[in-house]
Amino acid sequence: MRRRQPELLGENLAPGAHNIGYDPGTPENHPALRKPISRKGYGPLVANSVRFNFEEVSNSPGVGDYELVRKQSKPKQMAKPFGSGTDERTKDRSLAYPGVGTYLFKTRKDIRNHSFGGTIKIMPAARTLCKTENFDRCLRCDERPEVDYWKNLRTERSLCRRCMVQELEDARSCSKHKSEQKKRLDALNEYKRVRHCAYYHRHDKTSAAIQFISNKQLKRKFRLENYLSMFE
């Protein structure tokens, strides 16, 4: 649809001399609202509503009318941790943390067995004795050990864990001379930590072995025991 404006027809062509005044009482006479009728008439999609609503009032506040000052809420009082009735800042923590040099630390043992240029082998924390039945008995209490115990592989003598700890305490404290103490400790060092094979397979009084633990679980168990054995 071609739109014809009165300015293009020779009226008010000078700069600043455009006659765009209108009566506010009759906004429908605004020059922007004057639409010439097409030769074909009005179509079904022609908008007949007013383009500009001059009486519309904005509901939003103007510049400077906003209230930017927020009301500060009072801080909540912090609750005591775990329902305790004492203040944590008044507690004496001098005995909670030991001073420098008071820690009882152990040296880390080397569990690797290798030669220069050779293959590295990890020494197991406890040797496994594969037998149909365990007949070893403790030399001191004469009881059959059910868990790991200590055995002298040269003399075939065994000591359970409790008796081994007691023997070490007696050798370190009850010996009057250092030579006697060293002799008893050297004799106890010949005992090796061993265990029976019943923890991962059974024999059923035969030479055959029926394994009931997977190899993955065994490797995980050995890896953890070998790591902890370095700090014994």
Side-chain angles (χ1 to χ4, degrees):
M1 181 183 298
R2 181 178 298 179
R3 183 175 180 179
R4 297 181 180 181
Q5 298 180 359
E7 290 83 2
L8 300 179
L9 298 177
E11 300 177 1
N12 300 328
L13 297 180
H18 295 277
N19 185 12
I20 58 175
Y22 67 97
D23 187 7
T26 57
E28 62 274 2
N29 297 328
H30 193 275
L33 300 177
R34 298 174 185 174
K35 296 182 179 180
I37 302 176
S38 175
R39 296 178 181 178
K40 298 182 180 180
Y42 289 102
L45 301 179
V46 174
N48 297 325
S49 61
V50 181
R51 292 181 61 189
F52 302 101
N53 189 5
F54 298 96
E55 297 180 357
E56 182 180 358
V57 179
S58 177
N59 296 326
S60 59
V63 180
D65 294 338
Y66 294 95
E67 185 179 358
L68 300 179
V69 180
R70 297 181 180 179
K71 297 181 180 180
Q72 297 182 357
S73 59
K74 296 182 180 180
K76 296 182 180 180
Q77 186 177 2
M78 184 178 62
K80 296 180 180 179
F82 304 105
S84 61
T86 58
D87 191 0
E88 293 292 330
R89 294 173 294 180
T90 59
K91 290 184 178 181
D92 185 13
R93 300 182 179 274
S94 59
L95 301 178
Y97 304 100
V100 180
T102 58
Y103 292 95
L104 297 177
F105 62 93
K106 295 182 179 180
T107 58
R108 184 172 179 176
K109 296 187 300 183
D110 189 8
I111 61 173
R112 298 172 299 176
N113 185 13
H114 65 94
S115 59
F116 182 76
T119 58
I120 299 176
K121 295 182 180 180
I122 303 297
M123 294 183 295
R127 300 184 181 183
T128 302
L129 301 179
C130 188
K131 299 179 180 179
T132 56
E133 190 174 354
N134 189 13
F135 297 100
D136 294 336
R137 289 186 175 273
C138 180
L139 182 64
R140 185 169 180 173
C141 62
D142 198 21
E143 293 183 0
R144 181 175 297 178
E146 297 180 357
V147 291
D148 297 352
Y149 59 99
W150 303 85
K151 184 175 182 179
N152 191 337
L153 302 178
R154 183 174 58 86
T155 60
E156 295 294 331
R157 295 180 179 180
S158 302
L159 286 173
C160 63
R161 181 177 297 180
R162 294 180 180 178
C163 295
M164 186 63 177
V165 173
Q166 190 65 31
E167 287 287 339
L168 290 174
E169 292 180 357
D170 295 344
R172 292 168 183 171
S173 60
C174 298
S175 299
K176 297 181 180 180
H177 304 285
K178 291 185 177 180
S179 59
E180 184 181 354
Q181 180 180 0
K182 185 177 183 303
K183 185 178 180 180
R184 293 186 62 179
L185 290 176
D186 292 341
L188 293 176
N189 287 334
E190 295 182 2
Y191 285 82
K192 304 299 180 183
R193 185 178 176 182
V194 296
R195 66 178 61 163
H196 190 246
C197 61
Y199 68 94
Y200 78 100
H201 68 214
R202 64 177 185 269
H203 291 279
D204 294 337
K205 298 181 180 181
T206 61
S207 59
I210 303 175
Q211 184 173 340
F212 52 85
I213 295 180
S214 63
N215 294 333
K216 183 178 181 180
Q217 294 177 348
L218 281 177
K219 289 181 180 179
R220 187 180 302 172
K221 175 182 176 63
F222 293 155
R223 188 182 299 113
L224 178 60
E225 290 180 351
N226 292 337
Y227 175 76
L228 296 177
S229 65
M230 294 188 297
F231 304 96
E232 290 182 350

